[in-house]
Amino acid sequence: MNTASAPSPSVSPWLPTAPCTPGRCAAHPGPGCATVRTLLAVSRLAAGVGLVLAGVVCAPLTAPLPTAVRHALVRHWCRAVVRAFGVRVRITDADAPARGPLLIVANHISWLDIPLLAAVLPGRMLAKREVRTWPVLGALAALGGTLFIDRDRLRALPGTVRTMTRTLAGGGRLIVFPEGSTWCGRAGGAFRPAAFQAALDSSVAVQPVRLEYRPGGPAAFVGDDPLGASLWRIATAGGLTAEVRILDPISTGRYPDRRSLALAAQRAVASDSAKRPSSSVHQWVSSRPAVASSSRTPA
């Protein structure tokens, strides 16, 4: 971990920040023949970007389909995107995974977190307003029903929480990264409580998820890291493994307020950091680029 320089005056002082920087937290040695590694990276990058563009084009065509069918298509597409970048994925389910509407909360390390979670627990994402302006990924996020929030306008937060509550009360799922910023994975930030009010108001369970990457450096999307640099770093890494651990759901009825609920979810995710997948883990694994053939978000 590295202590970042002080934020610029234009950044709101109340916004969460992590003491992680690309130079110290996202570097990786990149062993192997440079030429071969570059060729593999180019093929992975082309496959990954191609799949994202295909998603942008095809997303409007899925609008008339039933929700279950759309969710299945999203899962398969997100898995294909992650595979295309050469990332192996291991998924571990909780003993009693929750069903129905959920507030899904996870630690935040990389833009890869988004397709990873969408591949396992599809739902509407909560993202900062700036993501909407990103080339390709912004359009895809909008088509996927992402809720965009303006982090500089505290007065808009109650309205966002009400929208989240309506989504959950209507049977939908929401995916939130409550740390409010990406961390490199060797440490994490406090879970901000605002989103948890929506779970309390709609009486919907909170589903904590623990995300890890091995090695951790290439996947980390921190500080002022450009998206292009992060894409290239992941494509060139090779042997990158993402672990998605779906923890036991948390009933909101046990907690009197959003702060205690947020703390319970934070502790669940943090306490799982030392655990490793058991032999019962089911996984979809591929480190090869897809031949035939997603950003930091606040909470």
Side-chain angles (χ1 to χ4, degrees):
M1 299 294 294
N2 179 53
T3 301
S5 59
S8 64
S10 61
V11 177
S12 299
W14 67 272
L15 292 177
T17 57
C20 305
T21 60
R24 294 293 184 87
C25 300
H28 70 287
C33 174
T35 302
V36 173
R37 191 169 63 246
T38 299
L39 290 174
L40 283 173
V42 170
S43 64
R44 288 170 179 159
L45 194 59
V49 172
L51 281 170
V52 171
L53 290 173
V56 172
V57 173
C58 297
L61 303 178
T62 67
L65 299 176
T67 301
V69 175
R70 290 201 310 272
H71 283 178
L73 290 173
V74 168
R75 285 197 298 270
H76 289 299
W77 173 76
C78 287
R79 291 184 181 191
V81 169
V82 175
R83 283 171 172 161
F85 280 100
V87 180
R88 298 170 179 259
V89 180
R90 294 190 175 93
I91 306 168
T92 303
D93 288 340
D95 293 335
R99 306 292 181 185
L102 293 169
L103 178 66
I104 301 162
V105 298
N107 58 308
H108 203 10
I109 300 171
S110 172
W111 59 267
L112 270 172
D113 302 345
I114 296 171
L116 279 174
L117 285 176
V120 182
L121 295 167
R124 298 184 70 180
M125 294 277 178
L126 185 69
K128 63 182 181 181
R129 178 192 57 185
E130 292 83 352
V131 172
R132 181 64 181 87
T133 64
W134 285 19
V136 182
L137 293 179
L140 188 61
L143 289 170
T146 297
L147 298 175
F148 296 102
I149 65 171
D150 188 343
R151 298 195 304 170
D152 292 320
R153 294 182 59 220
L154 280 175
R155 292 181 180 179
L157 187 57
T160 300
V161 172
R162 286 193 295 270
T163 300
M164 295 172 63
T165 301
R166 287 194 297 269
T167 299
L168 294 172
R173 289 182 174 180
L174 282 173
I175 300 172
V176 177
F177 300 105
E179 289 168 310
S181 180
T182 48
W183 292 66
C184 69
R186 292 190 287 270
F191 278 18
R192 298 170 70 83
F196 293 88
Q197 186 63 50
L200 288 170
D201 292 343
S202 58
S203 300
V204 166
V206 173
Q207 176 63 72
V209 177
R210 172 78 188 181
L211 302 176
E212 284 190 71
Y213 297 90
R214 296 194 181 93
F221 181 39
V222 294
D224 57 356
D225 197 12
L227 179 60
S230 176
L231 289 168
W232 182 251
R233 188 169 58 246
I234 289 171
T236 58
L240 184 63
T241 299
E243 297 189 4
V244 183
R245 294 181 60 86
I246 305 173
L247 309 175
D248 292 325
I250 300 173
S251 172
T252 55
R254 298 168 49 194
Y255 299 92
D257 54 56
R258 63 191 183 192
R259 295 187 184 279
S260 59
L261 182 57
L263 184 57
Q266 178 184 326
R267 286 174 173 169
V269 171
S271 64
D272 188 73
S273 62
K275 298 179 182 178
R276 296 294 179 263
S278 66
S279 59
S280 63
V281 170
H282 65 277
Q283 52 184 301
W284 36 279
V285 177
S286 174
S287 60
R288 297 164 53 193
V291 293
S293 12
S294 334
S295 48
R296 280 158 287 193
T297 50

